[in-house]
Amino acid sequence: MAMKLKSTPQYEARARIAKALAHPSRMLMLDALAQRDLCVCELTELVGADQSTVSKHLAVLRDAGVVEMRRQGAQTVCTLKICCLNKFWECVEAVLRQNLQSQRQAVGR
Amino acid sequence: MAMKLKSTPQYEARARIAKALAHPSRMLMLDALAQRDLCVCELTELVGADQSTVSKHLAVLRDAGVVEMRRQGAQTVCTLKICCLNKFWECVEAVLRQNLQSQRQAVGR
DNA sequence: TGGCCATATGGCCATTATGCCATAAAAAAC
DNA sequence: GTTTTTTATGGCATAATGGCCATATGGCCA
């Protein structure tokens, strides 16, 4: 074998983060937050779901350390704390496109 | 506003991929597959779960386009199709460490 | 203090994910 | 051809997730 593997807790930590990302609404919120900080009310309008739903989504992201939330007067402002996402998704989508393409070529069309 | 956002289907696609990653056992398998191709039986031994459980995990990864599986004699060999993962997790873990550190400094210890 | 805006939380229900067992299917070995 | 090895699938119980409503909390302003 001789494979360098990590510890179970580390895989669990990674899985927790991946799980926090694993929802369309949270993806949208993260993409928006990559451009600028937004308060919960703005994100609620953006997502178009119930305010309580958005609040729970944000709690998921906060608990995973992906966003940070600070009180600013009456509202809560959210900041993206992980800058790695944009590059990652660009990479993933480029690779998936490539894979699809070579798959089509292999089939003959 | 003037934010450049993507389409709902694109966020759904991203969320599907993130969801496919969102399990400790699948994280472990992906880390192993990043080092070399492995058959289902090897992955089953590595994960230490029931063979049917591992088979279902692999189906999740295959359906998401993250791994590819090809028959080789009696066994099925799995290949990682997304090379972006290692760099991504390194980035995430480095950023989280930094965030924890500056958080501690802000508190005063 | 009273009232309003912005968020968070609890409750409830429907849907989905996970794990194992049992079993089917496919390929190699005998 | 039967047996063995390797994967896949169906079934089922349990747990987790997501959504909304109702309601509590916190802060601002009159």
Side-chain angles (χ1 to χ4, degrees):
Chain A
M1 282 277 195
M3 279 195 288
K4 306 154 228 151
L5 297 172
K6 308 192 187 310
S7 64
T8 301
Q10 186 154 6
Y11 293 124
E12 289 170 347
R14 288 182 176 188
R16 269 193 298 277
I17 294 169
K19 189 185 278 191
L21 306 179
H23 192 285
S25 299
R26 296 198 287 265
M27 280 291 151
L28 167 58
M29 293 194 279
L30 292 173
D31 203 28
L33 288 172
Q35 301 177 42
R36 66 177 177 83
D37 290 2
L38 294 163
C39 68
V40 179
C41 55
E42 289 172 303
L43 288 167
T44 300
E45 195 191 346
L46 184 64
V47 169
D50 193 275
Q51 174 270 319
S52 70
T53 300
V54 173
S55 180
K56 285 179 184 174
H57 279 310
L58 285 168
V60 169
L61 292 172
R62 172 174 40 74
D63 292 348
V66 181
V67 306
E68 204 173 83
M69 300 170 75
R70 65 180 187 284
R71 198 101 203 192
Q72 200 161 79
Q75 55 198 15
T76 304
V77 179
C78 306
T79 310
L80 182 62
K81 295 298 287 180
I82 302 272
C83 53
C84 323
L85 295 173
N86 262 314
K87 277 190 184 174
F88 173 66
W89 290 117
E90 280 174 23
C91 177
V92 168
E93 282 155 9
V95 169
L96 287 181
R97 268 195 301 274
Q98 286 178 329
N99 290 352
L100 271 183
Q101 199 172 331
S102 36
Q103 200 177 326
R104 271 198 287 266
Q105 283 184 335
V107 178
R109 199 176 61 78
Chain B
M1 281 277 194
M3 280 195 287
K4 304 155 228 151
L5 297 174
K6 309 193 187 308
S7 64
T8 301
Q10 186 153 6
Y11 292 125
E12 290 170 345
R14 288 183 175 187
R16 268 192 300 276
I17 293 170
K19 188 184 280 190
L21 306 180
H23 191 285
S25 300
R26 296 199 287 265
M27 280 292 152
L28 167 56
M29 295 194 277
L30 291 173
D31 203 26
L33 289 171
Q35 300 178 43
R36 64 177 177 84
D37 290 4
L38 294 164
C39 68
V40 179
C41 53
E42 290 174 303
L43 289 167
T44 300
E45 195 191 345
L46 184 66
V47 169
D50 193 276
Q51 173 269 317
S52 70
T53 301
V54 173
S55 179
K56 283 178 184 173
H57 279 310
L58 285 168
V60 169
L61 292 172
R62 172 173 40 75
D63 292 349
V66 181
V67 305
E68 204 173 83
M69 301 169 76
R70 65 179 188 285
R71 198 97 203 195
Q72 201 162 77
Q75 54 197 15
T76 305
V77 179
C78 306
T79 310
L80 182 63
K81 294 298 286 182
I82 302 271
C83 53
C84 322
L85 295 173
N86 262 314
K87 278 190 183 171
F88 173 65
W89 290 117
E90 280 175 25
C91 177
V92 167
E93 282 156 9
V95 169
L96 287 180
R97 270 195 301 276
Q98 286 178 331
N99 291 350
L100 271 182
Q101 200 172 331
S102 37
Q103 200 179 326
R104 272 197 288 264
Q105 283 185 336
V107 177
R109 198 178 61 79

